[in-house]
Each structure stands twice: as structure tokens, then as C-alpha cells.
Amino acid sequence: MKNKFLFSCLLGGILISSCNPTKYLAEGEKMYTGGDVEIHHDSMKVENKEAFETFLEDALLPKPNSKILGVYYKVGLWNMGGGPDSSTNFFRRWLKRNGQEPVKLSDVNREYNENLLRGKMENLGFFNARVASDTLIDGKYASVKYDAYPGKVYRINSVKFDVDTMTDLGWRINYPSDRTLLKPGSNYNLDVILNERDRIDNDLKLNGFYYFSPDNILVEVDSTIGNHKVDMFVTVKPETPEKARHPQYIGNVYIFPDYKETSGTARRRIPRNTEKFEDKYYIVDPERKYRKKVLANHIFVQPKDKYSRWSHNQTINHLVNLNAFKFVKNDFVDSPDSLNHLDVYYYLTPLEKRSIRLELIGKTAAVYNGTEVTANWTLRNAFKGFETLTASVFGGYETQTGGNVNLNSSYIRYGAEVGITWPRLLSPWKWAPARQYIPKTFLKAGYEFLNRRTAYTLNSMTLNYGYAWKENNQRDHNLTLAEIIYVQPRGISDEYKAQMDTVPTLRHIVDPQFSFGPNYVYTFTNTMENNKKHTFYAKAGLNTSGNILGLIQGADFNSGKVKKLFGTAYSQFIKAEADMRHYMKLTANSTLASRIMIGTSYSYGNSRSLPYLKQYYTGGPNGLRAFRARSVGPGSSLPENIGEDNFFADQTGDFKLELNTEYRAKIAGMLHWAAFIDAGNVWLQNQDDDKPGGKLSGAFLSELAVGGGVGLRLDLDFLILRTDFAIPFRVPYRPKDDRWVFKYIDIRERDWRRENLVFNLAIGYPF
């Protein structure tokens, strides 16, 4: 209570101080609120003009003070700290350090900004640009308006590569010249010219020219040909060093995998008895901490080959991603033995072989609170081949702290997991995906004990063995050759058994579960390409269990021929699901994000439906946000909330459809907001008398639950805190002609808010 009072006082003080940000300004001084650029160009499209104005405004200096919702909150902190007062009070110094002094009009150099804007426009081809400015005064505040007159843009008329094609350097620069970024007809653009120099340099680096630099390229521009056009001439500067004009070759390669960062160490001291491994590499590892063959597989630089930036970067990337070295450094030095050759030195400083990490997590939601602690132990380079061995133990507790319905959320949970990862594919077949990334083989085994206190206990065991690899920067693959899940219930309470008789769905939660089989997941994403207007994310998976064994044994659940393995009936199913997302950048600060999730399955032979752990559900902070987790469906069946002190049966199904769309926009600084609409449901494969309306039918679209709302997001760069307020628009378990509930919405009514307004607090975006 005391902390809340202090926080309220601090927040109130900030708001009050922010209301008068000019409090400490000297007489006659004005607070600078920013610059506004207006483009005067009749033939420019409105959307292009707005983007151009935003681009120019971002270049203006100084930047105005930060604000959120019109409040200069950082100036408020500075004012609370005493403003210009040089007090030594710790709290005041802390406030000022985290605040901002008001930016004054006298800090603005209009002439400098005019030249800056003119230069920006000239760099984009507007060679005859003009800029005028004026100061606008509003009481104690002031802004500056800049009127920009770009004039007519200059375009590229022709591009000529003025190089000697009889030399290695000239031939490589000139061929093939159609790859140039300088295209006739395009606008003159300084950034494109700089990118063209980088393109030429990168191509040369891929082909041996280690000492070449983008600064060695000169692009001459002739703007005197008339008609607002320019001719361009690409050439090599005469002062380019001789070494930069010739390709370099790889000489000796030295690898120090146990390098210590100590002063005075002779970095290139090679023991006399060091021999080449496979006639390629000198691996200096006198204590034999690493298997040389495995280490050599991650070195792409080959003696006698031309230097290649690709091989250089690939080697560094692999060594970094082996999860064994704290620092990875390399040197290329002129070889003393031959001309135009480079000796290569790799200095690899190992990470600590063993490490322990302790994690403590606090969990909170509308009606429950809990905590969980996890201890992780890691052994690196476990068997001298860069294997990573991990072991973890965890324990957690969660209890209901409010609400009218017992959500059956109180539990004690603990367990352990052991795993090992190999940085290669352990396979009897020669199967090698793209070597650009390190493929991995994984083996994990885990055990978990879950005690639902007054309900039941579950013992769960899992085993996973498979491969993970990247095809390229956009495509990931995960193939689990063997996934085994075994869940055995124990200690089912009499109270829970009585509820199972009333609500048979509860029985499914405590059924023994045994599934085994391979699964595969494919992921595609290009969302990291920020320059694109449309980006996508797609994830598709296929999961199977017991199919071959069930066919061999002739399993048939419907005929009572339920087969067992190790004394337990096993599941037999095929399950496929897809998650597809589309992100459309509307402006620099707003995005429309959309998602469709489809889940389907077919249980047969030894099973009538998916096991509980494999079934689909919807609702919650990352799904249908207007409905609580696992509270929707299947189909039009009514959720079974049974009594204040009884149990809540999770609503799950064998099929799923979910649709989401969300508008995201920046308010100011790190504060963002969103408006969203979600729709979805789950359905059963077979008719269940205890879930009338739960089976998938042709009328499934009429059974979609729909909800929407608004929320705030706090983007802290390293994480995103998200709050959502949502209400239902369409409730599938209401009568068929009365499922849209807009007419019942009454925000002012307390009972309606308690039953329909759902608040979600989460970390990260929902999709």
C-alpha cells in the first residue's frame, strides 16, 4: 500500500511538472517544439510528398523534447529535480539524470538546418533545391517552419564503366555490368551511388581482392548535358594501392582453439612439433581439448584458394555459433613465403566449460498468482566435439486468488529434463543441408509431476530425438524422428470423480496418454526485411502417432479392439496445422497485422479423438482475447462452468480455425496502441453426446466466436509489455439467431463488465 502511494505521488508530480515545462526558462526564451517541413512541388504525389516531408523532418536538429500523449514527461522529471538548481540531493539528481532539459529556440540554427535540408534534397537528385524558414511563436513555445522547393529531379542518362578490362581488377568490375544499381532513367541518388560502390567491393571481396575498399571507386557525374539528366562514369581512383589491384590467395591457416587473452602472449608462436591436419590446417591444441576433424569441418578458408569474403564470414559465423567460444578473432597477414598470399590466424577463447543459471519467474493473471524456479546446468564441448549437454530441474506453485469460479488452477509442479545437442547431423545417410548454417541433432528426455491438489496428479515423461537445420535465412526445418509422450494419472480425488460423472469431459483430462511417432515443422519468415511493405510468416507442422503399429495390430477403437504397448493403450492419429501471418506497413509508424491458424487431425484405429495434450484450444491473451483461455467450443456446445467451488472443464477439440487482425500504431516514444478483432473456434471429429453441437459440420462458420478490443503496448526494445481490453461480439453457444451480442453491450453496467470485459496482460505481441 505504501509503495502504491509513493508511485502515485511520483506519477502525480510528473504530470503536474509536465503541465508547465517552461517553468525554468529565462525571460524572453521560448521552448522549441519541433520543426515542420512543407514541400512545394506541384507534380509530386500526395503520399510521396508526405513521406518526403517526414524524411526531411527527421533530419532536423536539435530534436524536440520527448512526450507521450502530449505530455513532456521527461521535462517534468527534470523540473521535479530542481531544473537548473545544482542541488546535491540524491533523489533530485536521479530525477534530472532521467529527465530532459527543455530544448530552447536559441538552440536551433536555422541556417544550418536549411543547408542540411538542401543537401538532403540534392543527394536525391534535386540539384536546384531551395529552402526558406520562419519562426512561429505561440506564447512561451516556438516552432520553425521550413518551406522546401525541390525543383525538378535529375535522372541518369547513361552509365559507363571506365576501367581497363585487360586487368583482373577491371574485368571483374566490368563483368557483368548489367548488375549495376545505377540504371538509366532512374533518379540520381547519392545513397544508390554509395551502395553501388559497396556492391562492387563485395563482388571483388568474393573473388580474392582482400585489400580493395569501396573508397577506391570513383563515380564521376556530368550534370551539364542538359534536360535535367546526368552521365555517370565509374572508374578506379589512380591512387589505389598496387596490392588492392590484385587478388590474394590463402597461405597457411593457424587455429588456436584454447587461446587465452593475457597480456604479453606471443599471438603467433607455433610449437615446432605442430603438424598440419589433413594437410590443411595447423591446429594448436596441445592438451587435445577438441577433436580436430570436427573443428576442421567448420573452417571454410582453404589453403591455396583465392581469398573469399563468403568463406571468411562463414568460418566466423560457424565458430561463433558452436556455443563453445567467448571470443572469436582472426587475422589475415601477408605471407612471408609467397607474393599475394595471406596467412590466416584464428584465436578462439573458450567459454567456461560448465555453467549454472538460476531463473525465478513470477506469474500473475486475473484470478491466480504463482511462481516458478528453474536451475539449468550446462556442460560445453562435452565429448570434445562441441556437444552441449544440459540438465535442468524446475518447480512451481500456482493458486487461485480471486474470482467466482474455481478455474482448477491451483497446482504444484516439478520435474527435470536432460538433453544433448550435437552441431552436426548424426545420420547413417550422407545428408547435408546448406553449410551456411550449423545443423543440429538433439536428444531430450524429461519428467514432470503435476499435483492439482484437490483434483488429481499426473506423471509425464517425454523423449525427443531429431534434427534442426536452416535452409537459408528465411527457412527453418525441424524433424523429430521420435517423439514419445507418456502421461499416467494418479490420485484422482473423490470430488473430481463425482464431477466426472456429471461432466464426462473432465474424464478426458485424466485419461492415460501414450503417443509416439515422428513430427515435422517448417517455418518461413521474411519479417526481418524492414524495407518491405508486405512481409510474411508461415509455420506448418505434421504430427503422427502409432500409425504403422496400429495398422499391423489391426487396432479398432469402435469395435473394442484397443491395442496396448507396455500395458498402455496408445494413440493413433495424423495431425496437421498451419499458422500464416501477414504484416502490411501502412506508414512508418503503423502496421496492419493479420493471422490465420488452421488445425486439423484424423484419429482412427486405436483412437477416437486426439489425446488431451495434442488437442486444440482457443481463447486467452494470444488467441481470442475476448474469451478466457480454453473457454470456447467445441462448436456451439455450452462451456461447463460448474459451481463456485468445483471444476472448469477445458474446451478442446480435434479441429481449429482462428482468424485475427490487428492495427498497430505508435503514439509517442515507446508507447504504442492497437485495435483488434479475433474470431475462431474448435470442433470435434466425432459426435459426443456430452458436447451437443461440438462436431465439425458444414455450418462451422456460423459457430465462430468473435471478439475485439483495444490495447496499449510499451516497447522497451528488449521486450514488449502488452495490455488488451476485449469484449465478445459473437458468442457461439447462444441460440443460433441470437449469437451477435452487440445489442447487449452496456459498458456502464457493472454486472455486464464483470462477465464480458476481459483484461489480458502479456509479454510480446500475440502474433
Side-chain angles (χ1 to χ4, degrees):
M1 191 70 183
K2 182 179 179 181
N3 291 336
K4 288 184 178 180
F5 175 75
L6 291 175
F7 177 77
S8 300
C9 290
L10 179 60
L11 182 60
I14 293 172
L15 290 175
I16 293 171
S17 299
S18 302
C19 291
N20 186 19
T22 62
K23 177 179 179 180
Y24 289 108
L25 289 184
E27 184 69 28
E29 189 62 270
K30 309 295 181 185
M31 181 174 174
Y32 175 65
T33 60
D36 178 63
V37 177
E38 183 177 350
I39 299 290
H40 298 272
H41 197 294
D42 296 337
S43 61
M44 191 177 291
K45 293 182 179 179
V46 174
E47 58 270 23
N48 293 344
K49 185 182 292 186
E50 291 177 353
F52 200 2
E53 288 171 345
T54 301
F55 168 74
L56 294 177
E57 286 170 0
D58 288 342
L60 295 173
L61 294 174
K63 304 297 182 186
N65 293 106
S66 303
K67 59 182 179 179
I68 294 180
L69 298 177
V71 175
Y72 291 97
Y73 64 100
K74 286 198 172 183
V75 176
L77 287 173
W78 190 81
N79 287 345
M80 288 180 65
D85 180 19
S86 58
S87 170
T88 58
N89 179 279
F90 170 79
F91 183 60
R92 286 197 166 194
R93 289 204 318 271
W94 180 87
L95 289 171
K96 290 177 66 173
R97 188 167 59 247
N98 289 275
Q100 281 183 352
E101 184 177 353
V103 179
K104 300 180 287 293
L105 179 62
S106 58
D107 298 328
V108 181
N109 186 329
R110 283 171 43 188
E111 183 180 357
Y112 173 85
N113 279 336
E114 289 175 7
N115 292 331
L116 184 66
L117 297 181
R118 191 179 303 111
K120 291 284 184 181
M121 290 189 285
E122 288 178 352
N123 290 343
L124 294 173
F126 298 97
F127 289 164
N128 300 316
R130 294 184 298 108
V131 180
S133 64
D134 190 21
T135 301
L136 306 178
I137 305 295
D138 182 13
K140 291 187 177 182
Y141 301 91
S143 62
V144 179
K145 182 185 178 185
Y146 296 89
D147 292 293
Y149 303 87
K152 193 168 183 179
V153 69
Y154 278 67
R155 301 182 184 277
I156 300 174
N157 178 61
S158 66
V159 179
K160 181 181 178 182
F161 285 81
D162 191 10
V163 292
D164 182 2
T165 56
M166 299 303 292
T167 64
D168 285 345
L169 178 63
W171 180 85
R172 176 54 61 184
I173 291 175
N174 189 66
Y175 178 82
S177 59
D178 60 352
R179 291 191 302 166
T180 179
L181 303 178
L182 305 174
K183 305 293 185 183
S186 298
N187 293 4
Y188 171 93
N189 190 317
L190 180 61
D191 287 338
V192 176
I193 293 176
L194 296 176
N195 290 337
E196 172 67 3
R197 297 201 317 168
D198 290 337
R199 182 197 68 81
I200 293 172
D201 176 68
N202 185 62
D203 184 65
L204 292 173
K205 288 293 195 300
L206 291 173
N207 290 277
F209 292 85
Y210 175 79
Y211 287 108
F212 199 84
S213 164
D215 290 335
N216 297 139
I217 292 291
L218 177 65
V219 180
E220 297 177 314
V221 179
D222 182 1
S223 61
T224 64
I225 62 175
N227 201 25
H228 294 90
K229 291 186 177 182
V230 297
D231 287 334
M232 290 187 170
F233 303 88
V234 182
T235 187
V236 178
K237 292 180 180 179
E239 63 270 23
T240 299
E242 190 63 26
K243 282 202 302 186
R245 296 176 180 270
H246 300 283
Q248 304 294 312
Y249 294 81
I250 302 300
N252 292 321
V253 179
Y254 302 96
I255 306 168
F256 299 80
D258 194 26
Y259 179 75
K260 301 294 191 301
E261 287 282 353
T262 56
S263 59
T265 301
R267 299 190 62 170
R268 300 191 183 112
R269 182 176 295 170
I270 312 299
R272 292 182 180 179
N273 59 347
T274 303
E275 297 181 356
K276 274 189 178 182
F277 175 73
E278 293 185 345
D279 199 33
K280 290 183 180 179
Y281 310 119
Y282 290 101
I283 301 178
V284 185
D285 183 20
E287 297 183 19
R288 298 185 179 182
K289 293 184 177 181
Y290 304 92
R291 297 213 302 272
K292 293 182 179 180
K293 183 174 180 59
V294 178
L295 178 57
N297 285 338
H298 298 280
I299 307 297
F300 291 80
V301 175
Q302 302 284 333
K304 300 180 182 179
D305 284 357
K306 272 186 183 180
Y307 166 82
S308 168
R309 176 179 279 175
W310 184 89
S311 299
H312 177 183
N313 291 339
Q314 280 298 103
T315 301
I316 297 297
N317 289 338
H318 270 238
L319 293 175
V320 168
N321 289 309
L322 281 173
N323 192 35
F325 302 112
K326 184 191 305 184
F327 303 114
V328 174
K329 300 180 180 179
N330 77 304
D331 282 343
F332 287 84
V333 299
D334 290 329
S335 174
D337 301 323
S338 54
L339 187 65
N340 294 334
H341 278 68
L342 299 168
D343 287 345
V344 191
Y345 295 81
Y346 289 100
Y347 305 102
L348 315 177
T349 304
L351 287 163
E352 291 294 329
K353 190 173 181 66
R354 297 171 180 83
S355 64
I356 296 178
R357 186 177 77 253
L358 192 66
E359 297 177 353
L360 180 64
I361 301 173
K363 297 187 290 185
T364 182
V367 293
Y368 62 87
N369 289 279
T371 186
E372 184 169 297
V373 61
T374 302
N376 298 285
W377 176 80
T378 300
L379 177 65
R380 298 179 179 87
N381 194 39
F383 307 111
K384 300 185 177 182
F386 302 100
E387 304 86 358
T388 302
L389 182 65
T390 59
S392 63
V393 293
F394 58 86
Y397 175 75
E398 183 180 285
T399 184
Q400 182 176 334
T401 57
N404 295 325
V405 177
N406 186 324
L407 299 182
N408 191 25
S409 62
S410 298
Y411 68 73
I412 297 172
R413 170 178 172 264
Y414 59 82
E417 182 179 272
V418 178
I420 183 171
T421 302
W422 294 267
R424 53 195 174 277
L425 298 180
L426 301 180
S427 170
W429 301 281
K430 288 189 176 181
W431 171 41
R435 289 195 68 198
Q436 185 175 356
Y437 303 93
I438 300 177
K440 295 181 180 179
T441 302
F442 58 85
L443 174 64
K444 293 184 291 186
Y447 168 78
E448 179 181 314
F449 175 80
L450 177 69
N451 183 355
R452 284 284 184 182
R453 304 184 70 188
T454 60
Y456 55 82
T457 62
L458 293 178
N459 290 276
S460 305
M461 287 170 282
T462 60
L463 179 69
N464 291 273
Y465 175 80
Y467 308 119
W469 72 97
K470 288 177 72 73
E471 182 181 338
N472 53 41
N473 196 39
Q474 297 177 337
R475 295 175 172 84
D476 282 295
H477 303 263
N478 189 299
L479 174 63
T480 303
L481 295 177
E483 179 192 59
I484 302 173
I485 300 176
Y486 180 80
V487 181
Q488 188 65 40
R490 290 284 189 272
I492 303 175
S493 68
D494 292 338
E495 184 182 6
Y496 193 85
K497 289 178 181 178
Q499 294 297 337
M500 288 194 313
D501 294 334
T502 305
V503 185
T505 305
L506 292 171
R507 190 181 306 277
H508 193 42
I509 299 174
V510 293
D511 282 340
Q513 299 175 60
F514 185 21
S515 67
F516 56 90
N519 65 63
Y520 169 74
V521 176
Y522 169 80
T523 306
F524 168 86
T525 180
N526 65 351
T527 55
M528 71 290 292
E529 300 178 17
N530 296 323
N531 59 322
K532 288 190 173 183
K533 182 174 182 178
H534 299 275
T535 55
F536 301 89
Y537 170 92
K539 184 176 182 179
L542 180 66
N543 190 192
T544 65
S545 173
N547 294 293
I548 296 176
L549 184 61
L551 292 173
I552 293 174
Q553 292 185 331
D556 189 351
F557 182 93
N558 295 325
S559 301
K561 298 179 181 179
V562 177
K563 304 299 180 179
K564 296 184 177 182
L565 185 63
F566 304 119
T568 304
Y570 57 86
S571 298
Q572 188 175 355
F573 62 82
I574 299 174
K575 178 184 177 185
E577 53 192 320
D579 179 347
M580 293 166 285
R581 308 173 190 180
H582 170 241
Y583 303 91
M584 181 169 65
K585 187 179 293 185
L586 301 175
T587 68
N589 294 315
S590 64
T591 302
L592 184 66
S594 303
R595 175 178 67 177
I596 177 171
M597 295 178 66
I598 301 173
T600 183
S601 66
Y602 178 63
S603 300
Y604 66 105
N606 221 38
S607 298
R608 179 175 170 80
S609 65
L610 289 175
Y612 177 71
L613 287 178
K614 292 290 185 179
Q615 284 197 309
Y616 299 107
Y617 63 89
T618 189
N622 295 319
L624 289 173
R625 284 162 280 184
F627 300 84
R628 291 180 173 83
R630 299 175 181 259
S631 66
V632 178
S636 59
S637 61
L638 182 68
E640 294 160 307
N641 297 10
I642 40 181
E644 182 175 340
D645 297 316
N646 295 313
F647 302 102
F648 171 80
D650 291 342
Q651 311 303 303
T652 58
D654 305 303
F655 302 95
K656 177 178 180 177
L657 175 63
E658 188 171 305
L659 307 157
N660 316 84
T661 189
E662 180 172 286
Y663 173 78
R664 301 169 181 168
K666 182 176 181 178
I667 298 175
M670 57 182 134
L671 187 63
H672 301 243
W673 77 283
F676 55 85
I677 297 177
D678 307 315
N681 207 333
V682 297
W683 294 268
L684 300 175
Q685 175 183 334
N686 296 299
Q687 184 66 43
D688 186 341
D689 293 338
D690 299 313
K691 291 286 185 181
K695 182 181 178 181
L696 181 67
S697 68
F700 71 94
L701 288 177
S702 68
E703 296 170 343
L704 289 176
V706 182
V710 295
L712 293 175
R713 288 90 171 88
L714 195 63
D715 188 347
L716 303 175
D717 290 332
F718 58 93
L719 65 83
I720 293 172
L721 295 176
R722 170 167 58 94
T723 62
D724 290 321
F725 291 89
I727 60 173
F729 297 159
R730 195 171 193 276
V731 181
Y733 48 81
R734 293 182 62 86
K736 195 169 185 179
D737 58 352
D738 193 32
R739 290 176 178 169
W740 291 103
V741 294
F742 289 111
K743 60 185 177 183
Y744 302 114
I745 295 176
D746 189 356
I747 298 291
R748 296 170 299 177
E749 218 285 314
R750 182 178 179 182
D751 290 338
W752 182 93
R753 292 198 305 270
R754 185 176 64 250
E755 295 175 6
N756 295 276
L757 183 61
V758 177
F759 170 72
N760 294 294
L761 174 64
I763 295 176
Y765 288 114
F767 55 90

